Amino acid sequence: MKLKTLLFALPIVLFSCNNQPAAPPEAAVDTSSKMEIMVPAQTCYLGTIAKDSVFLKTEKFPNVVTGTLEYKNYEKDSSKGELEGKMSGDTLIAQYRFSSEGTTSISQVVFLIKGDSAYEGFGEMEEKDGVMVFKNLNEIKFDTTLILNKVSCIN
């Protein structure tokens, strides 16, 4: 008896499933909850003098610049690490967390970005809370002997 009841009810269930209301038009779908993925503007720079080189990779987001910085020095200590900072006009001011000779350190770095070139800034530094920072950002001099030129970020 149960089988007869089931067979009798099955067409009713199938028929009622086909009478679903139509989906709302695409324009009525709420898109305010969709997340937007931001792809940062990525730029790489390379500078060399003799057997020494500096490689800078920046990824610019609206409010922050991240990236990597690597100094490859011939017959001297080299370093490689991450940086995070902000652009102030055409100047990148960042904290550089790097490893050199098995030690991790943090130092402030500054680069002037002009067209397809970057110039590293130098000046008097001091230690504050374990981080080396420039004493006065207004007194930074930009090195024109080692120019970092824009290169492809794809190795």
Side-chain angles (χ1 to χ4, degrees), residues 76-128:
K76 291 189 277 180
D77 294 345
S78 295
S79 65
K80 181 178 183 177
E82 306 285 322
L83 59 89
E84 183 175 329
K86 292 187 178 212
M87 292 297 296
S88 177
D90 56 4
T91 305
L92 170 62
I93 303 169
Q95 297 295 318
Y96 174 47
R97 178 182 297 275
F98 63 96
S99 295
S100 178
E101 298 297 315
T103 302
T104 300
S105 304
I106 303 172
S107 181
Q108 188 175 46
V109 292
V110 176
F111 286 91
L112 176 65
I113 311 290
K114 288 277 192 187
D116 288 344
S117 301
Y119 306 88
E120 187 170 7
F122 294 95
E124 191 174 352
M125 298 189 86
E126 63 186 353
E127 184 180 340
K128 284 188 177 177

Side-chain angles (χ1 to χ4, degrees), residues 41-47 54-56 58 60 113-119 147-153:
Q42 193 176 79
T43 309
C44 293
Y45 301 91
L46 176 66
V54 177
F55 178 76
L56 170 66
T58 62
K60 292 181 185 177
I113 311 290
K114 288 277 192 187
D116 288 344
S117 301
Y119 306 88
I147 300 170
L148 284 67
N149 294 302
K150 191 182 283 188
V151 295
S152 171
C153 290

